[in-house]
Amino acid sequence: MSVVRTRFAPSPTGHLHIGGARTALFNLLYARHSGGTFILRIEDTDRERSTAESIQAILDSLSWLGLTWDEGPFFQSERASIYRERADTLMRHGLAYRCTCTPEDLETKRRAAFAAGDKPMYDGTCRDRAVGPASGSPFVIRFRSPRDGQTVIDDIVKGCVTFQNRELDDLVIVRSDGTPTYNFCAVVDDADMGITHIIRGDDHLSNTPRQVLIYRALGLPPPQFAHVPLILGTDRARLSKRHGAVSVTSYRDAGYLPEALVNYLARLGWSHGDQEVFSLHELIECFTIENVGKAAGIFNPEKLLWLNSHYIKSRPAADLAQEVLPFITRAGYEAPADPACLVKIVASLQPRAKTLVEFVELARFFLANDLVIQPKAAAKFLTPAITPALIALADRLEALCDWTTDTIAHEFHEVLTTHGLALSKLAQPVRVAVTGATASPGIFEVLDILGKERTLGRIRAAIDRTRPGATE
């Protein structure tokens, strides 16, 4: 067997959609599993819509996901002379022809076909008419598609799919401005780059018979095709912005980890027993196209969030702290000067945070200089009845020389014994005093991370709120 060569060939007209990311992932996994090569090709022949910003966004997204390519990126815009040469070859052999039908002519034909209840397709007006380059009229080049017979696609996912050639009109392969079209470029590139397997969304299935016919006209063997069902929203409609974030960068900026998104996309339409959590190495070991399902994958945001939470909990706190840093800065906070303090903050919140953005939200009371106390929490827990215990605790904590969770816990228990209180009766008012809310990591851990100065400042400010006549 020949060495497997797969490719991902995005058009740089926007950010990388998660559907495109899954296509790239499947191509990479199959190539790696087979000991083959994964190629990146940028299909940028659409001059009006292709942008440098989109190209960079695609490259950045693939790199962030860890989907590294072995060859490329190649750019179609740099291969214009090759497409012209192949189009000329087809022309010389009578397998393509010049067409001078104007856009107005084509629109008239289209309307007439609709009115007659026929499929709107080119009627071949110029097919058997000699149109020379010296005619002076603008022209496109059309591929001379066979009028009879069938084109059969033996698809790895969908099985045998048959197309009637009479349903395929003579598609344009070179526009009037000299630029080649998608179907023609794709065939030339895939042949030149030795692509053996094309794994792509099944919205491309209708292009496949046209491409196979071009392969044959050029005397080239077609690759094997695997058309993967599209990703749908929970309403079973094609995934779009109305279902939420759809680009890789949106999930990156929302604080998802790349491993979580890769794991989720791999399982979206592919399975390996009942296993849900896979490292990239495990995906490479297990991936086969035959295990790609025929049914569309349903995008479930909650499951992705669960996976992200799993990866966050599994991450070493020191590594996670570095990943959280840009989100702290973006939120307008300064990270602790001591890196060890940030690691402690991250470790304390790992069981709670589901995204890196949520980390920063939950860590606000650690990071912000101003503390906003929830009014309902203050009304319930910062009452005059707890004032004596809070004062006693603040005095004992102020006398501490060694500030650790153990010494803090000891002083808490001394106050509880003296005042005859259960831990929750003191811990909850202190939690509200230092975090502004009723939920947080363990109170001793929180005070240790906050440090002595900030802890005492917040507890004494809360004591002032509990005094009769105090105002917020």
Side-chain angles (χ1 to χ4, degrees):
M1 291 181 63
S2 60
V3 176
V4 167
R5 290 174 64 84
T6 67
R7 51 75 159 173
F8 177 53
S11 297
T13 57
H15 287 252
L16 180 61
H17 188 283
I18 58 172
R22 187 187 65 166
T23 298
L25 174 62
F26 281 5
N27 278 278
L28 177 143
L29 294 178
Y30 186 67
R32 297 279 192 274
H33 178 82
S34 308
T37 302
F38 173 55
I39 297 163
L40 177 62
R41 182 174 75 233
I42 305 298
E43 299 192 332
D44 59 343
T45 55
D46 188 333
R47 296 173 179 175
E48 293 184 0
R49 299 176 63 212
S50 297
T51 66
E53 292 78 13
S54 294
I55 292 172
Q56 193 58 54
I58 290 169
L59 298 179
D60 290 346
S61 294
L62 292 173
S63 297
W64 178 73
L65 289 170
L67 306 184
T68 54
W69 48 94
D70 302 307
E71 294 181 12
F74 300 105
F75 295 87
Q76 286 187 333
S77 57
E78 298 174 355
R79 293 171 52 82
S81 61
I82 297 172
Y83 306 133
R84 283 197 297 270
E85 178 186 337
R86 300 300 171 82
D88 289 344
T89 298
L90 292 177
M91 292 275 288
R92 284 197 304 271
H93 290 86
L95 298 169
Y97 61 92
R98 295 182 181 88
C99 172
T100 56
C101 294
T102 66
E104 293 76 18
D105 293 336
L106 297 176
E107 178 61 20
T108 299
K109 297 175 190 293
R110 189 185 69 84
R111 290 180 179 177
F114 270 123
D118 297 330
K119 180 179 178 180
M121 53 192 294
Y122 183 62
D123 64 359
T125 298
C126 296
R127 182 181 173 100
D128 297 316
R129 189 174 69 183
V131 178
S135 66
S137 300
F139 63 86
V140 299
I141 298 177
R142 290 184 180 272
F143 176 68
R144 191 184 299 274
S145 181
R147 291 282 178 85
D148 53 15
Q150 299 175 330
T151 299
V152 179
I153 311 298
D154 187 10
D155 193 273
I156 301 174
V157 175
K158 293 189 168 297
C160 192
V161 186
T162 300
F163 296 86
Q164 301 300 322
N165 289 340
R166 64 176 179 275
E167 298 293 322
L168 307 173
D169 60 358
D170 295 350
L171 79 155
V172 174
I173 59 173
V174 179
R175 302 180 185 91
S176 59
D177 63 358
T179 58
T181 58
Y182 161 73
N183 280 299
F184 184 56
C185 292
V187 169
V188 172
D189 290 341
D190 289 333
D192 284 359
M193 296 174 188
I195 303 303
T196 61
H197 294 76
I198 294 177
I199 306 170
R200 59 188 180 186
D202 63 8
D203 53 334
H204 283 282
L205 183 60
S206 61
N207 291 320
T208 307
R210 301 176 184 278
Q211 293 175 2
V212 167
L213 290 172
I214 295 174
Y215 274 106
R216 292 173 180 167
L218 290 169
L220 301 168
Q224 289 187 263
F225 292 92
H227 288 90
V228 179
L230 299 179
I231 301 174
L232 305 180
T234 52
D235 59 357
R236 306 196 71 83
R238 186 167 178 172
L239 196 66
S240 65
K241 289 182 179 180
R242 65 190 176 86
H243 295 105
V246 293
S247 71
V248 170
T249 50
S250 296
Y251 285 97
R252 181 197 65 191
D253 296 345
Y256 285 76
L257 299 182
E259 296 92 333
L261 191 55
V262 165
N263 190 158
Y264 182 73
L265 291 177
R267 286 286 290 109
L268 200 58
W270 171 84
S271 63
H272 182 72
D274 296 326
Q275 186 173 343
E276 290 288 348
V277 179
F278 293 84
S279 67
L280 183 58
H281 175 75
E282 289 174 316
L283 288 172
I284 290 170
E285 287 292 315
C286 299
F287 186 83
T288 63
I289 301 178
E290 287 74 16
N291 283 342
V292 173
K294 291 181 171 58
I298 306 300
F299 191 84
N300 184 340
E302 292 302 317
K303 189 169 183 180
L304 172 57
L305 195 61
W306 172 82
L307 262 177
N308 202 59
S309 175
H310 167 82
Y311 278 95
I312 280 177
K313 290 174 183 175
S314 304
R315 195 74 121 224
D319 295 345
L320 202 57
Q322 293 303 307
E323 291 173 291
V324 169
L325 265 175
F327 292 86
I328 292 174
T329 302
R330 192 176 76 184
Y333 300 123
E334 288 188 14
D338 181 4
C341 181
L342 179 58
V343 173
K344 282 185 175 182
I345 292 173
V346 166
S348 74
L349 296 172
Q350 268 183 281
R352 297 168 178 266
K354 294 182 177 65
T355 68
L356 301 182
V357 168
E358 190 177 10
F359 255 111
V360 179
E361 294 169 353
L362 293 173
R364 187 188 185 283
F365 67 87
F366 284 128
L367 303 170
N369 293 321
D370 60 317
L371 181 68
V372 178
I373 296 180
Q374 297 173 359
K376 288 184 178 180
K380 183 175 181 179
F381 294 104
L382 299 182
T383 64
I386 199 63
T387 303
L390 287 177
I391 292 173
L393 179 65
D395 290 344
R396 296 189 71 94
L397 292 176
E398 190 165 17
L400 274 180
C401 295
D402 186 19
W403 189 265
T404 67
T405 54
D406 288 341
T407 58
I408 292 167
H410 175 76
E411 300 309 323
F412 255 84
H413 289 298
E414 288 294 315
V415 173
L416 295 175
T417 301
T418 301
H419 291 263
L421 296 172
L423 177 59
S424 63
K425 296 298 182 181
L426 180 59
Q428 201 64 344
V430 173
R431 178 174 284 107
V432 173
V434 299
T435 72
T438 57
S440 76
I443 190 60
F444 306 140
E445 185 181 11
V446 168
L447 300 192
D448 176 48
I449 295 170
L450 277 173
K452 185 174 181 178
E453 182 179 347
R454 286 204 293 171
T455 294
L456 290 173
R458 292 181 182 186
I459 292 178
R460 295 207 183 277
I463 290 170
D464 291 340
R465 292 179 63 133
T466 66
R467 300 184 190 280
T471 58
E472 294 184 8

